[in-house]
Amino acid sequence: MIIDVHTHINNYHEDRVASLEDCLNLLTETMIENKVDYSLVLSSYKVNEHRPSTKQVVEAIKGRNNLGVVSGISYLNYNHRDIREIGEYLERGLIKGLKFYPGYEPFYPNDTRLKVWYEMAIEYDVPVMFHSGDTYAPTGKVKYSHPLHIDDLAVDYPDLKIVICHVGNPWIRDCMEVVYKNQNVYADISGLVLGDFSEKFERFMKKEIEEMITYAGDPNYLLYGTDWPISNMKSYLKFMDQLELSDDKKDRILWKNAAELFKIDVTKL
């Protein structure tokens, strides 16, 4: 079984507008081609014609049992209506977690402005995901997205389940320490590459991920994710095959950890 915890249906080719339905269909087709059983769709911190809102995504995936939603939260622009709407979705089990975008927006994860969201995530026992490491856009400010900043949050909110996206790349060793130190912190391996892995970069990342597991122990904290469509699903699964790990450890990364963390009922897949 394979669960991809990190996909998007944003339109990154902004010279043309693809419909939400077309983007979802393409995601589903790509999942079938690569034998991916379930994917989480992460909405963005901003909403425009290229980036659908959480509400639009929740409505659009109705009837698609192999998809779930993680709600993107804007640090700069949220208001009381957003809090109420997301709270209702959490109450009804329509979203699986919250996603924040430090680096793309100028804030550190322990900013008190986000306290209401963290308390909500703890109340409904859903994870919070953080963009971490390099930013896809050159306008990002990477001082905000360094994985070490997650440590403050993990210590201040021990009941909060936290996911460091992209294993904090290129600061994978710093991410490694934060994950090792804090029982409530996880990491996903998404977005390590644009498109396909080259052979050389695949070898480099294989060593990095294997070293992380050597240091931090059995990968009960590591989640499989791609960042599709930015990263290629087929190339990512090939990368997973290259990792020198037991089948049990690969299963934990590929789906078991995600099913437990995000409460995904795999019997329905």
Side-chain angles (χ1 to χ4, degrees):
M1 182 168 286
I2 302 168
I3 295 175
D4 189 333
V5 302
H6 199 128
T7 71
H8 299 279
I9 49 173
N10 300 330
N11 173 30
Y12 293 105
H13 301 283
E14 297 189 354
D15 55 324
R16 61 183 187 273
V17 180
S19 73
L20 179 53
E21 194 69 19
D22 285 347
C23 291
L24 279 173
N25 288 340
L26 181 58
L27 170 59
T28 303
E29 289 162 15
T30 310
M31 288 168 62
I32 292 168
E33 286 169 14
N34 292 282
K35 298 182 172 62
V36 175
D37 299 273
Y38 187 96
S39 289
L40 289 173
V41 176
L42 281 51
S43 63
S44 180
Y45 62 98
K46 60 182 178 181
V47 178
N48 57 34
E49 62 180 338
H50 302 290
R51 295 170 185 251
S53 67
T54 296
K55 182 177 183 178
Q56 288 173 301
V57 180
V58 167
E59 291 294 324
I61 70 158
K62 281 181 179 174
R64 297 180 187 249
N65 295 329
N66 61 344
L67 296 178
V69 181
V70 173
S71 175
I73 307 296
S74 171
Y75 167 81
L76 292 174
N77 299 310
Y78 80 80
N79 57 39
H80 67 94
R81 292 183 188 85
D82 297 319
I83 296 171
R84 190 164 63 241
E85 180 180 81
I86 299 305
E88 288 174 2
Y89 287 150
L90 287 167
E91 181 85 39
R92 295 162 60 193
L94 295 176
I95 57 177
K96 294 288 191 181
L98 307 177
K99 169 75 185 292
F100 301 89
Y101 291 83
Y104 291 101
E105 292 189 310
F107 70 95
Y108 294 108
N110 67 338
D111 194 300
T112 56
R113 179 169 158 75
L114 297 173
K115 186 173 186 284
V116 63
W117 295 109
Y118 300 154
E119 290 174 345
M120 194 183 290
I122 292 168
E123 179 181 349
Y124 290 101
D125 193 27
V126 299
V128 292
M129 303 177 76
F130 287 88
H131 171 80
S132 186
D134 182 44
T135 54
Y136 180 66
T139 52
K141 296 179 179 179
V142 293
K143 71 176 182 180
Y144 296 107
S145 54
H146 197 293
L148 277 180
H149 299 307
I150 297 296
D151 183 59
D152 282 23
L153 187 67
V155 172
D156 292 346
Y157 293 87
D159 296 325
L160 185 65
K161 295 173 181 175
I162 302 166
V163 179
I164 301 175
C165 298
H166 322 307
V167 287
N169 183 44
W171 301 293
I172 295 177
R173 292 205 167 193
D174 296 304
C175 173
M176 187 192 304
E177 167 58 20
V178 177
V179 168
Y180 170 72
K181 174 181 173 287
N182 299 288
Q183 289 292 310
N184 56 330
V185 180
Y186 303 75
D188 80 30
I189 63 169
S190 70
L192 299 178
V193 65
L194 299 178
D196 295 336
F197 283 92
S198 67
E199 190 175 326
K200 189 174 183 180
F201 192 68
E202 186 175 66
R203 283 199 306 272
F204 171 77
M205 273 300 166
K206 173 181 181 293
K207 183 172 178 288
E208 293 277 315
I209 298 301
E210 287 174 353
E211 283 184 356
M212 180 175 188
I213 293 168
T214 300
Y215 180 86
D218 283 346
N220 301 325
Y221 48 82
L222 207 54
L223 306 164
Y224 176 75
T226 58
D227 215 7
W228 184 93
I230 292 170
S231 304
N232 182 287
M233 283 192 187
K234 184 176 181 181
S235 186
Y236 244 88
L237 287 169
K238 178 175 173 288
F239 170 70
M240 280 297 300
D241 284 341
Q242 307 299 316
L243 295 177
E244 294 179 28
L245 298 171
S246 67
D247 287 345
D248 177 61
K249 288 179 180 177
K250 282 189 180 178
D251 279 346
R252 291 221 64 84
I253 297 168
L254 282 170
W255 70 274
K256 286 183 178 177
N257 294 337
E260 291 171 11
L261 181 62
F262 290 97
K263 299 189 182 70
I264 298 164
D265 186 353
V266 296
T267 63
K268 294 181 178 179
L269 301 179

